[in-house]
Amino acid sequence: MILIDTETSGTNPRIHGLLSIGAVHFEQPHHTFYGECRLRDGATYDQRALDINGFTAQQITDTTKQTPTQLITQFHHWISTTADNIFAAHNPHFDQAFLQEEYHRASIPWPFDYHLLDTYSTAITIMHRLQKLPSPDLTTIRLDHILHFAGITYKRKTHNALEDAKLEAEALSRLLHGK
């Protein structure tokens, strides 16, 4: 299983773009990937997304940075170093949508099978079983709540794809092992 997180320029993979990928092999947590790219030509950005991930408009349009296709090619090579092809993430459909869009643009075959593991669903299930949901409104439960529930403390102002993938992997490990 590979825990994956992306940082993007917004929420819609058709008009916004991939900015970074972080990944951690669940069984071999030292086996990680991190890469950044510039915003693809024709894509737009939402300032709220940049406020979350800490990138600036200047950074995401820097033409000296690699292209999304170059980043996807590097990521694909990293993925090929493992036989594991289960995609895991916190709300994986979001990350998967951006990655699939860039895989398609790069004409590289999608390396993952159809299974997805969602750390959100896993955590909500365990919290519910233990009657420790932080809110009856499940839509308000964020990664921060899950990390706190798993006993993980951290300090940050913005998101980073590799840091989040590592946090998600640690939280998932603790949740699955009852820690």
Side-chain angles (χ1 to χ4, degrees):
M1 178 171 28
I2 308 294
L3 274 290
I4 300 169
D5 189 70
T6 61
E7 297 304 334
T8 65
S9 69
T11 59
N12 183 335
R14 293 193 181 154
I15 63 170
H16 300 119
L18 180 68
L19 300 176
S20 66
I21 305 169
V24 178
H25 190 284
F26 185 70
E27 299 296 330
Q28 301 169 4
H30 62 278
H31 189 53
T32 64
F33 175 88
Y34 181 73
E36 296 180 7
C37 64
R38 65 179 180 252
L39 189 62
R40 70 176 156 76
D41 292 340
T44 63
Y45 69 90
D46 181 334
Q47 186 58 50
R48 291 173 295 187
L50 300 187
D51 292 343
I52 290 169
N53 60 41
F55 286 108
T56 65
Q58 183 180 5
Q59 288 172 318
I60 68 172
T61 57
D62 180 354
T63 57
T64 64
K65 279 184 143 179
Q66 68 183 334
T67 67
T69 297
Q70 290 168 321
L71 176 58
I72 286 297
T73 301
Q74 289 175 359
F75 179 65
H76 189 75
H77 175 73
W78 181 84
I79 288 292
S80 71
T81 65
T82 178
D84 204 332
N85 66 350
I86 303 296
F87 190 111
H90 184 74
N91 297 321
H93 295 287
F94 178 86
D95 302 291
Q96 182 188 44
F98 276 90
L99 290 174
Q100 282 182 322
E101 182 73 23
E102 293 304 335
Y103 264 85
H104 176 74
R105 288 176 185 282
S107 299
I108 298 173
W110 183 244
F112 298 99
D113 76 355
Y114 61 91
H115 293 99
L116 294 174
L117 189 132
D118 184 359
T119 60
Y120 172 83
S121 298
T122 302
I124 293 300
T125 301
I126 293 168
M127 288 174 173
H128 186 270
R129 182 174 41 105
L130 297 173
Q131 299 180 357
K132 293 190 175 189
L133 287 170
S135 168
D137 181 358
L138 300 182
T139 63
T140 65
I141 299 172
R142 305 279 182 243
L143 178 59
D144 295 348
H145 295 107
I146 294 166
L147 296 174
H148 178 73
F149 177 74
I152 298 170
T153 58
Y154 62 93
K155 292 182 180 176
R156 65 179 177 180
K157 292 183 181 182
T158 59
H159 286 239
N160 172 278
L162 181 57
E163 179 184 331
D164 284 357
K166 287 178 177 181
L167 288 168
E168 292 166 23
E170 180 62 26
L172 183 60
S173 177
R174 291 181 185 198
L175 291 168
L176 293 178
H177 295 102
K179 295 181 179 178

